[in-house]
Amino acid sequence: QAAPLYLSEIAAAVAGIGGEHPKAIRDRALLLVGWWGAFRRSELVGIDLDHSEVDHPDGIIVTLPKSKTDQTWQGRQIPLHYRNDDTCPVRALRAWLEVAGASGPVFVQIRKGNRLLAGERLGAVKVSVLVKEAATQLGLDPAVYSAHSLRAGFVSECDRRRIPTAAVRAVTGHTSEQMLSNYARPGQLFDNRSEEHTS
C-alpha cells in the first residue's frame, strides 16, 4: 500500500507548485481533485468534461461511467465541494478548465513550452510521477508514495478526523466497512487506547 498524503501535506504540495502557467494550474487541480474525490489514478485521468456538472451552485459533480467498484456500468457520481482555503478542488479545477477548454478529457498532456495537447488524455502513470515529485518537495521518501497516496490520504485523514465511514464510502465507492481496512486508520488506534481499560 502507498503511504497516505494527509491534507496538510497536500496543502503544502499545492502551495509549492508556483506560477500561473498551464502545467502549474493543471498539476494543482490534479492533486486537489484527486485527493478530495479519492480517485484512483485511472479514474482521475479518465474524467471527461462531458460527464461533469460544472455549474452546480455547491461545486462540481463528476460522473464516472465505470470504475473498479462499479462493474455493472451504472456510473457513480462524486461531488467536489467548495472550500474556503487554498485546497479548494472546485476553484482549482475551474481555473484549469479556463485554460484547457470545455470538452473532452479534463486532464490533458502538456508538452515543453507549456503547449497543451487538446484531446490528448494524460496518462495514468503521470499522476504517480506528480505525487512522487510532491513527496520529494516535502522532504518525504518518494519511493513509498504513488498516485494511490491521494486516495489513501483522503481515507486516512477522514479517519483521523473521525468522519463517519458511511460518508467516506460515499466518496470512495467502497461497498463495505471491511474494504476500508486496507488503509491507514490512525483514528482507530486512538479510539482503542489501552488506558481506557486500565483506569
Side-chain angles (χ1 to χ4, degrees):
Q1 289 290 321
L5 277 173
Y6 289 91
L7 182 56
S8 61
E9 294 167 331
I10 284 294
V14 169
I17 302 176
E20 294 302 320
H21 52 82
K23 186 176 185 303
I25 297 172
R26 183 200 67 184
D27 290 353
R28 288 194 291 265
L30 197 67
L31 286 176
L32 291 173
V33 170
W35 197 92
W36 284 107
F39 291 107
R40 298 176 178 86
R41 66 179 190 175
S42 60
E43 296 171 344
L44 185 57
V45 299
I47 297 172
D48 287 324
L49 194 57
D50 297 339
H51 299 148
S52 304
E53 184 181 343
V54 299
D55 295 325
H56 195 281
D58 294 326
I60 293 176
I61 298 175
V62 175
T63 299
L64 298 179
K66 184 177 186 294
S67 68
K68 183 178 179 180
T69 54
D70 175 33
Q71 299 299 319
T72 60
W73 289 80
Q74 294 180 354
R76 187 164 66 87
Q77 290 186 313
I78 299 94
L80 299 175
H81 298 272
Y82 280 107
R83 286 181 56 82
N84 296 320
D85 57 31
D86 292 336
T87 68
C88 177
V90 178
R91 287 197 296 273
L93 183 54
R94 289 190 189 282
W96 167 241
L97 293 178
E98 289 181 4
V99 175
S103 64
V106 168
F107 295 110
V108 298
Q109 299 179 41
I110 298 176
R111 289 290 185 258
K112 290 183 178 180
N114 278 299
R115 182 169 62 90
L116 272 69
L117 299 183
E120 295 292 328
R121 192 180 304 276
L122 187 69
V125 174
K126 293 293 185 181
V127 183
S128 283
V129 171
L130 176 59
V131 170
K132 288 179 179 296
E133 289 175 349
T136 300
Q137 170 200 317
L138 297 174
L140 304 172
D141 180 6
V144 299
Y145 292 88
S146 70
H148 197 68
S149 296
L150 302 177
R151 183 173 170 86
F154 176 84
V155 174
S156 298
E157 181 76 30
C158 287
D159 182 74
R160 186 163 69 177
R161 293 171 180 257
R162 311 301 202 275
I163 304 297
T165 55
V168 177
R169 289 192 285 111
V171 176
T172 64
H174 287 114
T175 56
S176 69
E177 167 77 16
Q178 184 179 3
M179 295 294 290
L180 294 179
S181 63
N182 293 325
Y183 296 88
R185 304 290 294 280
Q188 295 290 312
L189 295 177
F190 286 96
D191 284 343
N192 294 291
R193 295 177 298 179
S194 60
E195 61 264 30
E196 292 182 351
H197 305 286
T198 57
S199 59

